Amino acid sequence: MGSNMEGVDLEDLEARVEWIEARVGARGRAVSIRDKCADLQSRVDHLLSGAGMTELMGQWEQLAPLLLTDDVEEFLMTLDTKRAVVLSCDQMFEQMASMLEQMQQLEQYAELTPELHQLEPKLKPLHAQNLDQIHQGQQFSHRFYTVLKAYNEFVALCSHKFLHWDAALTQLEQTRSVSYTHLTLPTKRIV
């Protein structure tokens, strides 16, 4: 597993997982693989640099001469000694087991390799459809722009004509009101 994980780019791995989630419809994962791997790495570093590892290494140094000798009598430990060794590292074993389980769960994502030659025939129609939709969108945008431009020109022309007619009517009304004031009919006075 170590050699497989070293060669895997986490961004590529996350992209693969997102692609699979998009295909399956599972989106919005709370924690990404990168976050889980970083968390596991920090926990392993903590364990390796912590007091539990130091204690285990101390016990290893004490037991190494016994394990490396051919003398079976020295190799045999009492049950109490074996129990003390296992119990002193109990918490570290539990943490390591938990991390290994998490790594095993994540390993399935690391081993996914999309076979592009199998996906290519499936992607060709989608690519063609995408290009067709892009082309149709460009045509629609061009037609919409043309219609909008013609509409704006029409509105500007109508507005210009209305302003021209308003000015002409105002001028006619002013000339008529001037002519009406000069042409006042004599009124009879009632005395």
Side-chain angles (χ1 to χ4, degrees):
M1 185 183 96
S3 62
N4 287 345
M5 289 301 289
E6 289 172 7
V8 174
D9 181 23
L10 287 178
E11 291 176 10
D12 182 46
L13 184 63
E14 283 192 77
R16 290 177 187 178
V17 170
E18 289 174 10
W19 180 80
I20 290 170
E21 286 177 343
R23 297 282 295 182
V24 174
R27 293 187 182 238
R29 292 182 314 142
V31 180
S32 69
I33 289 177
R34 181 181 297 242
D35 295 338
K36 284 186 177 183
C37 286
D39 180 49
L40 285 174
Q41 181 66 39
S42 67
R43 288 170 61 192
V44 166
D45 290 343
H46 176 71
L47 277 177
L48 293 177
S49 66
M53 191 62 171
T54 306
E55 185 178 334
L56 180 65
M57 290 308 293
Q59 290 177 359
W60 168 255
E61 289 174 4
Q62 290 174 358
L63 297 175
L66 295 174
L67 296 174
L68 298 176
T69 63
D70 291 332
D71 189 7
V72 178
E73 292 178 12
E74 289 183 33
F75 180 74
L76 296 177
M77 291 189 269
T78 64
L79 185 57
D80 292 334
T81 309
K82 290 178 184 178
R83 187 178 303 138
V85 170
V86 171
L87 290 176
S88 67
C89 299
D90 185 42
Q91 185 179 9
M92 189 183 77
F93 291 146
E94 288 176 4
Q95 289 176 348
M96 190 62 74
S98 171
M99 287 190 293
L100 288 173
E101 287 173 0
Q102 289 178 2
M103 289 299 286
Q104 187 177 17
Q105 291 171 354
L106 293 174
E107 190 176 56
Q108 63 183 337
Y109 298 112
E111 293 178 2
L112 292 176
T113 55
E115 297 178 14
L116 295 179
H117 65 279
Q118 289 179 349
L119 293 177
E120 190 173 348
K122 294 177 182 177
L123 292 177
K124 278 186 180 180
L126 293 175
H127 182 66
Q129 183 181 9
N130 185 28
L131 290 176
D132 187 42
Q133 288 175 346
I134 289 171
H135 181 67
Q136 288 175 358
Q138 289 171 343
Q139 287 179 338
F140 175 77
S141 295
H142 181 19
R143 279 189 253 150
F144 179 75
Y145 174 75
T146 304
V147 168
L148 188 61
K149 185 177 176 184
Y151 173 77
N152 286 339
E153 289 173 358
F154 175 75
V155 168
L157 180 64
C158 287
S159 180
H160 180 67
K161 283 292 182 187
F162 285 138
L163 289 174
H164 176 71
W165 289 341
D166 184 50
L169 284 175
T170 304
Q171 186 179 10
L172 281 176
E173 286 175 349
Q174 287 177 353
T175 33
R176 284 192 180 213
S177 70
V178 169
S179 65
Y180 283 136
T181 55
H182 292 290
L183 296 175
T184 49
L185 298 174
T187 56
K188 290 184 188 179
R189 290 187 177 192
I190 302 179
V191 184

